[in-house]
Amino acid sequence: MRVQSAICAAVTTVTRTITVAAGVFGPGHLGELTWQVPFELADAVLEETRTQERRLRDLPSRVGLCFVLALGLFPGLGYGGVWQKLTAALGGQALPCPSPKALRDLRRRIGTAPAKALFEVLAGPAAQPHTPGVRFGRFRTVAFDGCTSVKVPDTPRNRSWLGKMKAALGVTGYPAVELMTLVETGTRALIGAVFGPPATGETAYARQLVHLLTRDMLVLTDRGFDAAGFLEAVAGAPAQFLARLTSTRRLPVLARLDDGTFVSRIGALTVRIIQAEVTVTCADGTRYAGRYRLATTLCDHRRYSAAALIRLYHERWEHEVAYLALRHTLLEGRVLRSGDPAGLEQEIWALLALYQALRREMVTAVESVPGTDPDRASFTIALQTTIDTVTAADGVIPGGGLTGRIGRAVLDTLLPPRRPRVSTRKVKSPLSRWNKADPHRPKRSTPVTAMDITVHRPQEQEHQPATRRQQSLNTARGP
């Protein structure tokens, strides 16, 4: 008997319905991230900045604004490649196929103002008060920090605006932008941003964002922001602060408190000073210690213990995670595109708006599951899913429910709860003071098994209040 077998291949036809704006407005979308930047919002910022087209064009202004934002989603592609991503799922719609010059002209016609206005609408705290990890008592924790790792093309016009930073063997290869942001540490959402030449200095840029502080905020800062004038501005916003101080600052001891902290003055401010030694024990047996001196306007030592404030100060490092997502995950560590200051400003504001829209979408997803810490949401997953929805033109028009494809992807891949870890701080840059590893820290990321905090009382010679001349020196002392 001869047996013949046949292999049947099953074929399935999948039909998808794509809903986008009609006609030439079709490419004006960001996939499902359009939920955060709806058509009405895009049109509103264009109208407010007087960049809305006066006659219907093949490339309307709304499409131009979405194209500028999409440049941040595809940093490795040219203008034509980004346009193909926006229109990949819109075949048969008789859409224009613009040249790179036409898309460059579209960027110039849109200008900087709409991208900046869009960021200002999206910026702000992203979490509700009950969301885990965003508050210390009744205060929302926020932080100032600067970044000089965003490189720009080395053109004469960019150099004339930004200059060049000094390095060990001369100057750097690329000019860099100084980016200063105010961040909600619990979600890493941007509350405000400003940028410009690095020579201006971090404190000067941070002063431009002080007006965004509110009385329910607790500001965390490092030693670069301990100038008396800046801390007075923060306290007058009004907001509370927890700031690390430089080791050279001399402070009068006005009163000693029961927990080992003491009351002092910085400029016109009455502050509480916490001096402590923190000893960390790692899983591999490594032990090392560091000294911290913090100043805070939270002077009630019974309500706000020294140990709790020292542990809280670690939240300041969430700001570095925000820059990691912006520089390396979103921008992929690449040099920006624009060869002139106007183009750079547009590009940076668009990147910041795109980053903030992603953060808002992530927070919306985690808040749909009560008790979920925003730390567990993956920025990489949210970004990659957004890119997928852009190329598929998926979810442009909101459907039912708070979470869509991006939110489901975030919730399906939640990271494990955060655990204390430590590793050597080393940056491969001749500009950084961290370009040499600390020999006392483990070389790789290592879990922390114990952390001991010892609060040191002020020395006997510090008990007397400072003279008037000393107080004037302390007031004038900068970072």
Side-chain angles (χ1 to χ4, degrees):
M1 179 181 296
R2 188 174 182 181
V3 179
Q4 293 183 343
S5 60
I7 300 176
C8 298
V11 177
T12 301
T13 301
V14 178
T15 302
R16 295 177 59 245
T17 300
I18 297 175
T19 304
V20 295
V24 293
F25 291 94
H29 69 89
L30 294 172
E32 197 177 275
L33 203 63
T34 311
W35 295 16
Q36 297 296 331
V37 189
F39 301 149
E40 297 82 4
L41 175 57
D43 290 340
V45 297
L46 290 167
E47 183 176 357
E48 179 184 342
T49 56
R50 298 182 179 181
T51 50
Q52 185 71 274
E53 69 274 355
R54 296 184 179 180
R55 58 180 176 81
L56 186 60
R57 298 170 175 262
D58 286 342
L59 299 176
S61 296
R62 186 204 299 168
V63 173
L65 180 58
C66 290
F67 174 75
V68 170
L69 293 170
L71 291 175
L73 290 174
F74 306 99
L77 298 180
Y79 288 172
V82 175
W83 181 261
Q84 289 177 6
K85 295 294 185 181
L86 289 173
T87 59
L90 305 181
Q93 300 300 310
L95 296 174
C97 184
S99 66
K101 181 183 182 302
L103 293 171
R104 183 171 63 251
D105 292 343
L106 177 61
R107 279 193 64 187
R108 291 173 177 170
R109 174 160 60 87
I110 295 298
T112 300
K116 182 179 180 182
L118 178 61
F119 170 74
E120 291 173 347
V121 171
L122 297 175
Q128 299 295 324
H130 61 269
T131 302
V134 301
R135 301 183 80 87
F136 177 76
R138 63 187 181 90
F139 299 107
R140 187 185 299 268
T141 57
V142 300
F144 284 105
D145 203 5
C147 169
T148 54
S149 299
V150 179
K151 303 297 191 296
V152 306
D154 191 1
T155 65
R157 284 179 290 181
N158 286 345
R159 287 197 303 271
S160 67
W161 178 40
L162 300 171
K164 277 202 172 184
M165 299 176 65
K166 294 181 179 180
L169 300 178
V171 294
T172 55
Y174 289 100
V177 173
E178 173 83 38
L179 174 62
M180 172 60 59
T181 58
L182 177 63
V183 164
E184 180 184 36
T185 60
T187 63
R188 304 153 196 162
L190 302 179
I191 300 173
V194 65
F195 54 87
T200 302
E202 285 189 338
T203 305
Y205 283 124
R207 281 178 177 271
Q208 299 179 38
L209 301 176
V210 167
H211 69 281
L212 298 173
L213 299 174
T214 58
R215 65 176 60 253
D216 69 331
M217 290 181 177
L218 173 59
V219 182
L220 311 177
T221 67
D222 66 11
R223 288 168 288 193
F225 300 89
D226 79 333
F230 177 74
L231 295 179
E232 289 174 358
V234 171
Q240 307 295 327
F241 65 77
L242 177 65
R244 191 174 182 183
L245 304 178
T246 54
S247 59
T248 57
R249 182 184 286 278
R250 298 182 63 185
L251 296 168
V253 180
L254 304 181
R256 289 185 293 174
L257 303 177
D258 296 339
D259 64 344
T261 62
F262 64 94
V263 177
S264 186
R265 292 189 72 80
I266 297 179
L269 292 176
T270 299
V271 295
R272 175 180 165 213
I273 304 298
I274 305 171
Q275 299 182 141
E277 182 173 9
V278 180
T279 303
V280 171
T281 303
C282 301
D284 62 356
T286 304
R287 286 173 58 89
Y288 70 92
R291 286 183 172 270
Y292 289 80
R293 186 163 65 149
L294 307 177
T296 181
T297 48
L298 301 177
C299 294
D300 189 343
H301 64 285
R302 295 181 179 85
R303 176 177 293 183
Y304 308 106
S305 70
L309 290 174
I310 291 170
R311 292 179 184 274
L312 174 68
Y313 181 75
H314 186 269
E315 287 292 311
R316 190 194 72 78
W317 291 99
E318 298 296 334
H319 207 140
E320 300 290 346
V321 179
Y323 282 141
L324 179 68
L326 183 63
R327 293 190 317 247
H328 297 288
T329 307
L330 185 57
L331 195 56
E332 296 181 354
R334 295 177 181 270
V335 177
L336 297 183
R337 300 171 184 266
S338 306
D340 61 87
L344 287 177
E345 290 185 10
Q346 181 198 65
E347 189 174 357
I348 294 172
W349 286 121
L351 279 169
L352 295 174
L354 181 63
Y355 171 91
Q356 182 68 1
L358 282 163
R359 286 293 182 197
R360 287 165 58 102
E361 190 69 19
M362 292 164 63
V363 173
T364 299
V366 298
E367 286 184 340
S368 67
V369 181
T372 305
D373 195 313
D375 282 350
R376 300 182 61 190
S378 170
F379 187 86
T380 301
I381 293 297
L383 174 60
Q384 292 301 321
T385 307
T386 297
I387 291 173
D388 291 342
T389 66
V390 169
T391 56
D394 187 18
V396 175
I397 305 300
L402 294 176
T403 60
R405 183 174 168 183
I406 299 174
R408 290 192 299 272
V410 168
L411 293 176
D412 289 344
T413 57
L414 287 176
L415 302 173
R418 184 72 64 85
R419 64 188 188 279
R421 294 177 296 171
V422 69
S423 64
T424 186
R425 185 178 185 186
K426 188 176 187 302
V427 179
K428 295 180 180 179
S429 170
L431 296 176
S432 175
R433 58 178 172 170
W434 307 109
N435 60 354
K436 294 183 180 179
D438 185 345
H440 303 291
R441 293 192 178 194
K443 294 182 179 180
R444 296 184 178 181
S445 180
T446 307
V448 173
T449 56
M451 184 169 65
D452 300 318
I453 299 174
T454 303
V455 177
H456 294 286
R457 296 180 179 276
Q459 300 296 322
E460 291 298 327
Q461 60 267 27
E462 294 178 321
H463 289 175
Q464 297 299 323
T467 65
R468 181 169 298 180
R469 180 175 180 275
Q470 290 173 328
Q471 290 178 351
S472 64
L473 289 174
N474 287 336
T475 303
R477 189 184 300 273

